[in-house]
């Protein structure tokens, strides 16, 4: 299994921590089962992000821009930065306890990955799946590079919205529809009004289009219009793609800056006119008055010009979706560029078929619909990036002196320049030594190398790994489309280049949000470093981290205030095991995970409970204890048999949870066993046997098995705590002792099946009901120290035997004295408190001499008055609907039940007073 390689520039947040916690738990479980497990660590070179970080550092520290250095010198700076600052993620992974195979650490720019990238590019090119063409690409003017579709954030705007953009000194307004008149040639008073949200692209208009069936423009078919800025004649064309009911039904056609317009332009043979340059300024085609201006400053000049010429027809709010570069925050432009593209339709079809056939399983199942939709609408993948940091494209332009003005006629691809020269010689029929080759300065999209990660990490292309031998699972966070995009690329390239899927299952786990359900965001101040939860951190340190980031002053103030509100005293130390357990306790197949630090603290308390339980068990065992083999342990008491049955069930449920990757089942099962079965019930029940007998034979052996097997069941989730405590346990004689719990056998439900006694467990659940009833009676009568006698009676003679073997633990757990059975039909002693367990079973608790009625009746009266007041208020409240009304009804029932119990208790106390004459009692 490989870790989804995180960006070398970044740091892990809680979403990453969930991925690591799940992967590591599964990896550790498989190791303990005896499987050969390889978990490969790695990080992604993050072309855009890393280059931006180093460029900022160079400017801040030395006042040097990238282009003032040679490419070689700049890359040397990047590698130096990577060596110094690029290890933070690995430190976080180690803090999380990730048991990765660190000797196989990979980086997507190391030699092995570089070889794989070059080989993949060459093979795809030879297979006709990679080509160079001039077409529209997503362009970030701030980065001056093409970006992937997945790096374009579609931001919905309700109407007029002002945004601060890189390179713009003032906010820019979006969500506005500008109406512009295009005069009809030859008709002085006729015009066609066109609406646009991007008036800065007006200089690039080459036509106006209407729907062929729109009756408003039938008379203008075939006519010419005057461009509102230049006066040039533009054709009015008809195209079925135009939506007549939107706006005026007439649209401007700008093929060089709109994918939809490019399709219209191609259908009508219109030549595109590029009016926005790579840096976001206007080109020379716009005229001297606009050339060199930032496109959004040019927008205002264009609007003023339209007003001056009397061709401005209005401005109104317009809901729209604005494409934003997720890497820079700039508005994405669509520019015509000569780039390298991967043909995705055929490979995407195979990826879709892999899911349809069951060869690739997506879990949860409902993600299959998104997968199929994505691949059915997939377009070709632009893999060129105008960066220096990354894998330089292994393609070469053949420069032929006799070809002037056309430098893109002949491109060749090769694993090396020598190989490319041989290809060029065959292609041109000229000697290779006489040819001039220029390598493409662009680098490949980072996703190209990360998509090859599972293969290159295992030695491809030198050797083709048999991926069927490896653990067939990857884990992704559903909130991140980037990671799903990564899986899609892996599947496409993997099946094409190696004939194999990189895995047979993808587990798409939930997104981690904060306790208020908000997405983790630096601007909200709720992004947490897992190490801060593990080790604890003061509020001052959290605030300093915010200030050292790249938030603008407004965002910083909001984030700092939110952080101060959420963590007024900082974050307490919780530990790695508690964080892992809390993360895995959420159902990964369900909705988003809303995690709070208090929840992790609760898991820390659970860790403390386990620690204290082991201290008690080790004290009971003593130094001379010799454990029995598991197969020889045969419980003699009902309590011993019960806890071993619960332990066997716990092993079965843990195994089921791991097999289905439902780790919340594992955490719930272990929590219930350790806390509610072992600590709260069994340890408390057997303490009298342990203290009253110098060498009790059974409980220590049972306690040892619970500790040994319970810790091994816990180890994949809480490796540090489990290791520390397990090493303190004595070893079984004659058994091979594993050097670490991480390689000790994981208990299987099958091996412990002989301990399972479901019928006994059902019997004991009835005993626990009796314990709760007796504890309720003790609380009702405030018997804090007294140990009253108890009688248990059933109208069914056979049912009494159910309780007979548990009478001693029943008394111990309910903090009562001796428990006896009252024969069916026998009257209960007068004045004893009574609780009904079922239609056939009831318990009686001694009150005579233990409760002072005169003292206790006023307390009950005060309690009853308070509850009655609450009940009256609820009844008087106007009934509501939905969940609120359900909660009101539940509270009504709870209050009425408690009042009934109070009345019953008062009746018993009066009975005691009648049998022991006293003076006046208050009315209830």
């Amino acid at each position: 299994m490989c870790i989804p390689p995180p960006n070398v520039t970044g740091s892990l947040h809680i979403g990453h921590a969930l991925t690591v916690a799940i992967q590591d738990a599964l990896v550790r479980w498989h190791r303990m089962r005896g499987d050969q497990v390889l978990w490969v660590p790695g990080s992604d070179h993050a072309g855009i992000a890393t280059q931006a970080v180093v460029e900022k550092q160079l400017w801040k520290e030395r006042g040097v821009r990238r282009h003032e250095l040679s490419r070689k010198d700049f890359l040397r700076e990047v590698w130096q930065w990577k060596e110094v600052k690029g290890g933070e993620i690995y430190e976080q992974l180690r803090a999380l306890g990730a048991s990765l195979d660190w000797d196989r650490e990979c980086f997507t720019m190391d030699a092995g990955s570089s070889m794989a990238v070059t080989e993949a590019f060459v093979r795809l090119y030879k297979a006709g799946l990679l080509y160079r063409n001039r077409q529209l690409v997503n362009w970030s003017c701030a980065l001056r590079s093409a970006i992937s579709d997945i790096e374009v954030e579609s931001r919905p705007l309700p109407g007029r919205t002002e945004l601060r953009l890189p390179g713009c000194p003032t906010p820019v307004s979006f969500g506005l529809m500008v109406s512009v008149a295009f005069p009809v040639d030859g008709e002085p008073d006729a015009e066609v009004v066109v609406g646009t949200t991007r008036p800065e692209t007006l200089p690039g208009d080459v036509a106006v289009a209407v729907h062929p069936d729109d009756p408003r423009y039938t008379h203008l078919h075939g006519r010419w219009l005057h461009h509102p800025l230049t006066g040039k004649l533009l054709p009015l064309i008809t195209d079925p793609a135009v939506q007549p009911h939107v706006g005026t039904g007439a649209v401007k056609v700008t093929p060089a800056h709109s994918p939809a317009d490019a399709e219209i332009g191609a259908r009508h043979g219109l030549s595109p006119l590029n009016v926005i340059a790579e840096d976001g300024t206007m080109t020379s085609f716009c005229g001297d008055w606009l050339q060199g201006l930032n496109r959004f400053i040019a927008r205002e000049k264009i609007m003023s010009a339209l007003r001056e010429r009397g061709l401005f027809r209005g401005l109104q709010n317009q809901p729209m979706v604005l494409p934003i570069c997720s890497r820079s925050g700039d508005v994405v432009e669509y520019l015509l560029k000569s780039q390298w593209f991967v043909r995705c339709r055929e490979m995407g079809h195979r990826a879709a078929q892999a899911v349809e056939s069951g060869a690739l399983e997506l879990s949860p199942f409902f993600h299959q619909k998104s997968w199929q939709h994505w691949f059915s609408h997939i377009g070709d993948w632009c893999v060129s990036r105008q960066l220096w940091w990354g894998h330089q494209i292994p393609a070469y332009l053949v420069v032929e002196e006799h070809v002037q003005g056309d430098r893109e006629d002949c491109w060749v691809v090769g694993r090396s320049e020598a190989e490319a020269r041989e290809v060029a010689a065959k292609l041109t029929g000229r000697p290779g030594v006489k040819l001039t080759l220029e390598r493409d300065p662009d680098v490949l999209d980072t996703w190209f190398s990360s998509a090859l990660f599972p293969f290159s990490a295992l030695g491809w292309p030198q050797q083709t790994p048999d991926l069927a031998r490896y653990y067939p699972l990857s884990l992704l966070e559903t909130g991140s489309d980037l990671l799903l995009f990564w899986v899609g690329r892996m599947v496409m390239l993997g099946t094409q280049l190696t004939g194999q899927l990189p895995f047979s299952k993808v587990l798409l786990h939930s997104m981690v949000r904060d306790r208020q359900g908000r997405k983790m965001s630096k601007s909200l101040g709720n992004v947490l470093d897992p190490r801060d939860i593990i080790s604890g951190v003061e509020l001052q340190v959290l605030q300093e981290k915010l200030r050292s980031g790249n938030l603008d002053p407004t965002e910083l103030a909001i984030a700092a205030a939110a952080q101060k509100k959420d963590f007024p005293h900082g974050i307490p130390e919780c530990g790695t095991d508690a964080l892992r357990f809390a993360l895995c306790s959420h159902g990964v197949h369900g909705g988003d995970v809303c995690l709070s630090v208090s929840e992790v603290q609760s898991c820390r308390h659970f860790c403390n409970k386990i620690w204290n339980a082991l201290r008690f068990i080790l004290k009971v065992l003593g130094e001379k204890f010799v454990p029995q083999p598991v197969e020889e342990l045969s419980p003699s008491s009902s309590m011993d048999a019960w806890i071993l049955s619960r332990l066997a069930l716990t092993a079965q449920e843990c195994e089921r949870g791991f097999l289905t990757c439902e780790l919340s089942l594992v955490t719930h099962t272990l929590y219930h066993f350790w806390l509610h079965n072992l600590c709260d019930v069994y340890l408390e029940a057997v303490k009298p046997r342990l203290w009253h007998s110098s060498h009790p034979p059974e409980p220590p052996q049972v306690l040892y098995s619970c500790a040994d097997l319970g810790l091994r069941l816990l180890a994949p989730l809480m490796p540090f705590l489990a290791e520390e405590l397990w090493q303190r346990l004595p070893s079984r004689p004659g058994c091979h002792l594993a050097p670490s719990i991480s390689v000790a056998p994981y208990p299987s439900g099958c091996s412990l099946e002989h301990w399972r006694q479901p019928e006994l467990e059902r019997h004991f659940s009835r005993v626990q009901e009796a314990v709760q009833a007796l504890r309720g009676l003790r609380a009702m009568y405030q018997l804090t120290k007294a140990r009253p006698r108890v009688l248990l009676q059933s109208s069914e003679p056979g049912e009494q035997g159910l309780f007979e073997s548990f009478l001693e633990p029943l008394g111990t757990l309910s903090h009562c004295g001796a428990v006896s059975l009252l024969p069916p039909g026998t009257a209960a002693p007068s004045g004893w408190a009574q609780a009904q367990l079922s239609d056939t079973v009831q318990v009686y608790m001694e009150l005579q001499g233990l409760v002072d009625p005169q003292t206790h009746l006023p307390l009950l009266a005060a309690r009853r008055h308070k509850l009655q007041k609450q009940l009256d208020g609820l009844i008087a409240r106007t009934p509501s609907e939905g969940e609120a009304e359900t909660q009101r009804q539940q509270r009504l029932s709870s209050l009425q039940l408690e009042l009934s119990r109070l009345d019953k208790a008062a009746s018993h106390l009066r009975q005691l007073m009648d049998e022991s004459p006293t003076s006046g009692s208050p009315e209830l």
Side-chain angles (χ1 to χ4, degrees):
M1 181 163 60
C2 69
I3 192 168
N7 286 352
V8 70
T9 57
S11 61
L12 303 182
H13 52 63
I14 294 298
H16 294 111
L18 175 57
T19 301
V20 172
I22 296 172
Q23 281 192 310
D24 191 59
L26 292 170
V27 160
R28 289 176 181 273
W29 176 67
H30 274 277
R31 284 201 195 101
M32 294 179 73
R33 293 181 79 199
D35 295 329
Q36 290 286 331
V37 176
L38 173 61
W39 189 19
V40 182
S43 58
D44 187 272
H45 66 276
I48 292 174
T50 303
Q51 181 161 311
V53 167
V54 176
E55 286 193 70
K56 286 180 182 177
Q57 179 176 290
L58 284 172
W59 177 251
K60 182 178 180 181
E61 296 178 357
R62 291 155 52 184
V64 175
R65 298 291 186 190
R66 168 168 62 104
H67 290 285
E68 296 176 44
L69 301 174
S70 68
R71 184 169 187 153
K72 183 178 180 181
D73 289 341
F74 177 76
L75 292 179
R76 186 183 299 114
E77 297 285 344
V78 179
W79 278 108
Q80 289 176 357
W81 176 90
K82 190 263 179 186
E83 294 304 317
V84 175
K85 301 289 182 66
E88 182 177 4
I89 286 173
Y90 291 145
E91 292 175 10
Q92 291 178 299
L93 289 171
R94 286 185 167 95
L96 285 165
S99 55
L100 291 146
D101 191 336
W102 292 105
D103 292 338
R104 291 178 176 263
E105 177 188 328
C106 299
F107 180 52
T108 54
M109 280 289 286
D110 61 24
S113 179
S114 296
M115 181 182 293
V117 166
T118 299
E119 183 67 24
F121 191 94
V122 172
R123 290 193 189 185
L124 289 172
Y125 180 77
K126 289 183 176 180
L129 295 173
L130 205 151
Y131 65 97
R132 185 175 177 85
N133 191 31
R134 185 170 184 262
Q135 60 191 61
L136 283 182
V137 297
N138 304 314
W139 187 267
S140 171
C141 297
L143 300 173
R144 298 196 187 184
S145 176
I147 58 175
S148 299
D149 290 343
I150 199 67
E151 292 164 330
V152 178
E153 173 195 336
S154 297
R155 186 176 301 178
L157 303 179
R160 179 167 187 155
T161 306
E162 292 193 340
L163 300 176
R164 289 189 173 275
L165 301 176
C168 294
T170 57
V172 181
S173 296
F174 294 91
L176 294 172
M177 178 69 79
V178 180
S179 296
V180 183
F182 284 69
V184 178
D185 183 47
E187 293 188 36
D189 297 328
E191 63 184 27
V192 174
V193 177
V194 171
T196 178
T197 58
R198 297 293 309 274
E200 62 272 20
T201 64
L202 272 169
D205 291 352
V206 295
V208 171
V210 296
H211 193 278
D213 299 329
D214 191 336
R216 293 171 294 178
Y217 302 106
T218 304
H219 66 291
L220 293 176
H221 289 185
R223 300 292 296 274
W224 293 81
L225 310 177
H226 288 280
H227 193 289
L229 296 176
T230 65
K232 292 181 179 179
L233 291 177
L234 306 181
L236 186 139
I237 61 177
T238 61
D239 194 282
V242 178
Q243 297 176 302
H245 60 279
V246 176
T248 62
V251 297
K252 57 197 264 330
V253 181
T254 321
H257 299 288
S258 165
D261 290 3
E263 293 180 6
I264 294 176
R267 285 194 291 270
H268 295 271
L270 301 173
S271 298
L273 188 62
N274 195 354
V275 296
I276 297 178
E278 293 180 355
D279 61 354
T281 61
M282 307 304 286
T283 69
S284 58
F285 292 111
C286 303
D288 294 340
W289 69 296
L290 293 177
Q291 182 179 357
L293 290 179
N294 180 286
R295 62 201 188 280
F296 298 119
I297 294 175
R299 172 193 288 185
E300 299 306 317
K301 291 197 70 172
I302 290 171
M303 296 277 284
S304 297
L306 291 172
R307 288 187 175 94
E308 291 173 2
R309 299 176 188 192
L311 298 176
F312 176 77
R313 292 294 179 265
L315 185 69
Q316 61 185 16
N317 278 345
Q318 176 66 37
M320 64 179 294
V321 176
L322 191 66
I324 299 291
C325 172
S326 64
R327 302 294 187 184
S328 66
D330 198 7
V331 172
V332 172
E333 295 294 341
Y334 300 102
L335 300 187
L336 277 171
K337 305 293 292 181
S338 293
Q339 308 276 269
W340 291 96
F341 294 86
V342 174
R343 301 185 197 275
C344 292
R345 183 160 298 179
E346 180 184 337
M347 292 189 290
H349 178 66
R350 285 202 297 268
Q353 281 188 323
V355 171
E356 287 180 4
S357 66
L360 173 60
E361 178 187 347
L362 297 181
S363 180
F365 180 79
F366 59 80
H367 288 293
Q368 294 192 14
K369 184 176 180 181
S370 300
W371 179 271
Q372 301 296 0
H373 176 79
W374 191 56
F375 278 111
S376 64
H377 294 82
I378 194 169
D380 287 355
W381 172 19
C382 173
V383 293
S384 296
R385 296 294 179 270
Q386 289 63 47
L387 306 171
W388 283 358
W389 173 244
H391 297 281
Q392 191 171 354
I393 294 174
Y396 301 79
L397 173 66
V398 182
V399 181
E400 298 185 84
E401 295 181 2
H402 63 275
V403 178
Q404 297 295 329
D406 189 356
R407 292 171 52 83
E408 295 185 355
D409 274 353
C410 184
W411 284 86
V412 292
V413 169
R415 296 172 181 82
S416 63
E417 183 175 334
E419 182 178 316
R421 194 172 292 279
E422 290 180 9
V423 175
K426 293 179 181 178
L427 195 64
T428 62
R430 299 173 59 193
V433 293
K434 293 187 177 181
L435 295 173
T436 301
L437 301 187
E438 289 184 2
R439 188 170 182 177
D440 191 333
D442 292 349
V443 300
L444 284 165
D445 183 6
T446 302
W447 294 105
F448 193 91
S449 55
S450 61
L452 296 171
F453 184 79
F455 306 96
S456 60
L458 298 177
W460 188 86
Q462 296 99 319
Q463 57 186 14
T464 300
D466 180 7
L467 292 175
R469 293 177 53 240
Y470 295 93
Y471 186 54
L473 176 69
S474 183
L475 291 101
L476 307 173
E477 187 179 13
T478 54
S480 176
D481 290 335
L482 290 174
L483 288 178
L484 186 57
F485 179 87
W486 174 61
V487 170
R489 298 308 193 215
M490 276 196 297
V491 171
M492 288 198 307
L493 294 188
T495 53
Q496 174 64 35
L497 297 169
T498 70
Q500 300 184 80
L501 289 168
F503 33 72
S504 61
K505 184 174 181 178
V506 183
L507 171 60
L508 296 151
H509 70 67
S510 307
M511 170 183 269
V512 181
R513 297 179 179 270
D514 66 12
R515 64 179 180 178
Q516 300 174 44
R518 301 176 303 176
K519 186 176 180 179
M520 299 290 184
S521 167
K522 291 180 181 179
S523 61
L524 293 176
N526 60 358
V527 174
L528 296 177
D529 184 332
R531 293 173 298 184
D532 290 341
I533 299 178
I534 291 170
S535 304
V537 65
E538 296 178 352
L539 175 62
Q540 181 181 353
V541 177
L542 289 173
Q543 301 265 288
E544 287 173 357
K545 286 186 178 183
L546 278 181
R547 287 191 288 270
S548 65
N550 57 359
L551 297 178
D552 65 41
T554 303
E555 290 178 324
L556 179 60
I558 295 173
Q563 201 176 64
K564 191 172 183 179
K565 180 180 179 181
D566 289 342
F567 312 111
H569 307 294
I571 298 175
E573 179 183 358
C574 296
T576 299
D577 288 330
L579 176 59
R580 289 167 58 113
F581 199 84
L583 288 167
C584 291
S585 65
H586 292 270
V588 297
H589 297 313
D592 292 341
V593 173
C594 296
L595 185 75
S596 64
V597 173
S598 60
E599 184 181 347
V600 186
Q601 278 186 283
S602 177
C603 291
R604 171 65 183 265
H605 298 152
F606 176 52
C607 293
N608 292 341
K609 193 77 171 181
I610 295 172
W611 182 275
N612 291 331
L614 261 292
R615 287 181 59 191
F616 173 80
I617 291 173
L618 289 170
K619 183 178 180 180
V620 169
L621 298 181
E623 296 181 359
K624 298 181 180 180
F625 175 80
V626 179
Q628 291 179 352
V630 171
E631 58 273 10
E632 295 181 12
L633 182 57
S634 179
S636 58
S637 75
S638 296
M639 280 308 302
D640 292 344
W642 175 80
I643 193 62
L644 291 179
S645 181
R646 296 300 301 174
L647 178 57
L649 178 62
T650 299
Q652 289 178 2
E653 290 295 279
C654 287
E655 189 171 42
R656 183 164 69 92
F658 276 117
L659 286 170
T660 59
C661 299
E662 191 59 82
L663 297 192
S664 59
L665 172 61
V666 182
T667 57
H668 172 78
T669 301
L670 288 170
Y671 185 88
H672 190 72
F673 171 77
W674 275 98
L675 193 62
H676 300 306
N677 295 161
L678 184 62
C679 294
D680 291 351
V681 177
Y682 182 74
L683 292 184
E684 296 300 320
V686 300
K687 279 179 181 177
R689 292 169 61 195
L690 294 171
W691 302 148
H692 298 154
S693 174
S694 57
H695 299 289
E698 289 297 335
Q701 294 292 345
V702 174
L703 286 173
Y704 176 85
S705 290
C706 288
D708 173 34
L709 299 174
L711 288 173
R712 281 193 265 156
L713 290 169
L714 192 66
L717 296 158
M718 291 186 169
F720 295 106
L721 178 68
E723 186 73 58
E724 175 67 26
L725 295 176
W726 189 77
Q727 292 291 349
R728 301 185 184 197
L729 290 174
S731 57
R732 298 185 192 273
C735 295
H736 170 70
L737 179 63
S740 166
I741 196 173
S742 63
V743 289
Y746 196 82
S748 68
C750 181
S751 66
L752 304 180
E753 181 61 30
H754 61 286
W755 283 346
R756 285 287 288 125
Q757 297 190 49
E759 189 64 22
L760 178 72
E761 291 186 34
R762 283 192 288 271
H763 289 177
F764 189 68
S765 66
R766 301 291 303 280
V767 175
Q768 289 178 296
E769 291 173 9
V771 168
Q772 294 304 316
L774 290 169
R775 288 180 177 179
L777 289 177
R778 287 178 53 82
M780 180 69 73
Y781 296 103
Q782 298 185 351
L783 300 176
T784 55
K785 296 182 179 179
R787 294 293 183 265
R789 291 179 296 166
V790 171
L791 292 173
L792 190 146
Q793 185 182 50
S794 173
S795 59
E796 298 291 337
E799 198 172 22
Q800 294 208 151
L802 181 155
F803 294 94
E804 195 163 4
S805 58
F806 291 108
L807 293 182
E808 182 179 350
L810 174 56
T812 302
L813 295 171
S814 59
H815 306 295
C816 293
V819 181
S820 304
L821 294 175
L822 189 65
T826 304
S830 177
W832 285 43
Q834 178 188 10
Q836 196 81 19
L837 297 185
S838 68
D839 293 339
T840 58
V841 181
Q842 50 195 349
V843 291
Y844 301 94
M845 188 176 73
E846 181 183 24
L847 294 182
Q848 190 71 48
L850 302 176
V851 176
D852 180 5
Q854 289 193 3
T855 302
H856 203 66
L857 275 170
L859 298 177
L860 291 181
R863 172 71 175 159
R864 192 188 195 290
H865 177 73
K866 182 178 179 181
L867 293 181
Q868 186 64 51
K869 191 174 181 180
Q870 293 179 19
L871 180 65
D872 293 341
L874 273 177
I875 293 174
R877 187 183 302 173
T878 304
S880 55
E881 295 181 357
E883 186 176 349
E885 178 59 18
T886 301
Q887 292 175 351
R888 189 180 82 93
Q889 292 296 334
Q890 290 173 347
R891 180 60 179 155
L892 281 172
S893 300
S894 175
L895 287 170
Q896 290 166 346
L897 180 61
E898 186 65 16
L899 286 169
S900 174
R901 289 172 177 166
L902 286 171
D903 291 340
K904 199 170 186 178
S907 175
H908 283 296
L909 291 176
R910 288 198 194 93
Q911 185 179 359
L912 287 176
M913 291 180 67
D914 291 341
E915 294 174 357
S916 236
T918 56
S919 56
S921 62
E923 289 295 324
L924 279 179

